[in-house]
Amino acid sequence: MDTLHFDGRVAIVTGAGGGLGRAYATLLAARGAKVLVNDLGGNFQGEGADLSHAEATAQAIRDLGGEALANGDSVATTQGAESIVAQAMEAWGQVDILINNAGVVVGVGPLWNVTDEQWNTDIGVAAGGTFRLCRAVWKHMWDRDYGRIINVASGSFFGMGSGVGYPAAKGAVWGITRGLASASAATGKNVRVNAIMPIAASRMTTLMGEEIETAMQRDFPADAVAPVVGLLAHDTAPSNGEMFSVGGGGFARVMLGVTAGYRGTNKQWTMEDVANNFERAMDHSEFFQPADALEDAEAYESGVNWNAFRA
Ligand code: NAD
């Protein structure tokens, strides 16, 4: 296969002052993209601001002969999101690639200790930031009939043991991804939106303790996630609306499936009927993957013409 390049492409990478975002920005720039490196530059709990983080990544890219600008706005505000996009537009006149990587983990520990503020921060950065950046570029990409968006979710969506705000925000990121990807697919636009669940050593994973952190630095370097993000950001991105688990040099599709289930039609069924058919609902030896909400509804026997809604 020929080497894949990003010549002539403009990318925005949020939260790229360090960790995974820096790895994505560096890869894209090394292969010819002009990159707007955004990072608020606070700590991993979202406190503070420091442009020097974004500037350090942008400078490192320029030192290697690439083209990059730094931006220190917050993705968690509409003004911040719009000025991130405006800066890229002013500098280069277009935005082809958006990587929504900025994220924080705040509301961990027992649920009864989590404050509204912590919840709002977790949701506001990962979910709100992804929404705001997508909204700020979507019409531009739609009108140009070109765009590649990679949203950063997290395996915490499978369950995190402690904390609900962060996994909730990452679940929302998947919802945004599916929503935009299905809108694009329905109209045949060349705008592809995918998501990843990365696994990599970063300052965020220092939360997991020293032993795990040391092993992660050895086995899950941030650079090993970047090639998947790079391909999804490329003209040749082979998917739309998909989620991938990525780490340590490997990747796998994360699927949202519905089992064949129990498809009864008795509207007067009882709780006991549910108990008696529970195993059938759980059995995943047969399953399907709805492309949208209507395909899920179509699996139930009914006389509803779901296509009327589609039209
Ligand atoms: P990180 O803390 O190094 O990176 C997150 C970056 O986002 C930081 O540089 C931070 O300054 C920036 N940021 C935070 N709030 C911001 C805001 N409001 N506006 C702009 N920038 C902001 O951690 P990381 O591990 O590199 O995380 C990158 C992304 O990957 C995050 O979305 C994280 O949730 C996700 N993730 C990481 C892992 C992992 O194993 N490291 C696992 C699952 C998901």
Side-chain angles (χ1 to χ4, degrees), residues 9 17 56 69 79-80 93 125 158 160 182 185 205 211 226-227 244 253 279 297:
R9 296 292 179 203
L69 290 172
Q79 192 196 359
V125 178
F158 293 127
M160 196 165 89
S182 62
T205 55
E211 191 189 335
F244 299 94
R253 183 185 185 201
E279 265 182 41

Side-chain angles (χ1 to χ4, degrees), residues 17-67:
L20 285 156
R22 183 181 171 120
Y24 308 150
T26 305
L27 173 68
L28 297 188
R31 289 178 177 240
K34 302 173 182 97
V35 182
L36 187 82
V37 176
N38 158 265
D39 204 297
L40 180 61
N43 64 19
F44 67 76
Q45 296 191 306
E47 295 156 348
D50 183 352
L51 179 62
S52 70
H53 295 236
E55 189 48 60
T57 299
Q59 188 59 51
I61 288 171
R62 290 192 293 263
D63 288 347
L64 292 169
E67 203 170 336

Side-chain angles (χ1 to χ4, degrees), residues 203-233:
R203 66 177 188 166
M204 208 176 257
T205 55
T206 54
L207 283 175
M208 299 167 101
E210 202 182 320
E211 191 189 335
I212 292 186
E213 177 59 13
T214 307
M216 282 193 73
Q217 277 170 3
R218 183 191 62 221
D219 296 337
F220 294 97
D223 286 346
V225 174
V228 173
V229 172
L231 184 66
L232 296 175

Side-chain angles (χ1 to χ4, degrees), residues 15 19-20 38-42 44 73-76 101-104 125 152-154 166 170 198-200 202-205:
L20 285 156
N38 158 265
D39 204 297
L40 180 61
F44 67 76
D73 289 313
S74 172
V75 302
N101 168 77
V104 287
V125 178
V152 177
S154 162
Y166 181 72
K170 296 306 193 175
I199 303 168
S202 74
R203 66 177 188 166
M204 208 176 257
T205 55

Side-chain angles (χ1 to χ4, degrees), residues 1-307:
M1 180 182 212
D2 292 340
T3 307
L4 302 173
H5 291 284
F6 293 99
D7 297 338
R9 296 292 179 203
V10 174
I12 293 172
V13 187
T14 69
L20 285 156
R22 183 181 171 120
Y24 308 150
T26 305
L27 173 68
L28 297 188
R31 289 178 177 240
K34 302 173 182 97
V35 182
L36 187 82
V37 176
N38 158 265
D39 204 297
L40 180 61
N43 64 19
F44 67 76
Q45 296 191 306
E47 295 156 348
D50 183 352
L51 179 62
S52 70
H53 295 236
E55 189 48 60
T57 299
Q59 188 59 51
I61 288 171
R62 290 192 293 263
D63 288 347
L64 292 169
E67 203 170 336
L69 290 172
N71 172 290
D73 289 313
S74 172
V75 302
T77 68
T78 297
Q79 192 196 359
E82 286 178 357
S83 75
I84 292 166
V85 175
Q87 188 177 342
M89 291 293 292
E90 265 165 42
W92 298 305
Q94 66 196 61
V95 177
D96 304 287
I97 298 163
L98 168 64
I99 302 177
N100 283 308
N101 168 77
V104 287
V105 185
V106 180
V108 293
L111 186 57
W112 53 84
N113 286 340
V114 175
T115 65
D116 281 16
E117 266 180 349
Q118 290 173 323
W119 165 265
N120 288 339
T121 302
D122 278 328
I123 298 290
V125 178
T130 299
F131 156 68
R132 290 187 188 91
L133 263 297
C134 286
R135 182 176 60 180
V137 298
W138 191 247
K139 185 157 194 316
H140 172 68
M141 289 183 172
W142 198 260
D143 290 347
R144 279 181 71 225
D145 193 16
Y146 189 86
R148 299 287 181 263
I149 298 178
I150 297 92
N151 294 326
V152 177
S154 162
S156 66
F157 186 51
F158 293 127
M160 196 165 89
S162 149
V164 295
Y166 181 72
K170 296 306 193 175
V173 165
W174 198 354
I176 293 167
T177 303
R178 296 289 298 187
L180 293 180
S182 62
S184 173
T187 50
K189 289 278 176 189
N190 187 13
V191 181
R192 298 182 197 150
V193 189
N194 292 283
I196 62 156
M197 293 175 164
I199 303 168
S202 74
R203 66 177 188 166
M204 208 176 257
T205 55
T206 54
L207 283 175
M208 299 167 101
E210 202 182 320
E211 191 189 335
I212 292 186
E213 177 59 13
T214 307
M216 282 193 73
Q217 277 170 3
R218 183 191 62 221
D219 296 337
F220 294 97
D223 286 346
V225 174
V228 173
V229 172
L231 184 66
L232 296 175
H234 194 257
D235 291 15
T236 61
S239 61
N240 181 40
E242 296 293 341
M243 166 88 86
F244 299 94
S245 164
V246 192
F251 74 127
R253 183 185 185 201
V254 178
M255 299 178 298
L256 202 53
V258 180
T259 64
Y262 168 72
R263 305 285 175 176
T265 55
N266 177 8
K267 314 304 172 212
Q268 276 78 48
W269 67 325
T270 63
M271 289 165 59
E272 291 72 24
D273 293 329
V274 175
N276 288 335
N277 288 290
F278 208 78
E279 265 182 41
R280 282 178 69 180
M282 292 293 289
D283 178 7
H284 53 85
S285 55
E286 277 181 60
F287 67 93
F288 70 106
Q289 293 164 60
D292 58 24
L294 298 180
E295 270 192 32
D296 177 37
E298 276 167 352
Y300 295 89
E301 210 174 292
S302 83
V304 179
N305 175 14
W306 297 109
N307 274 328

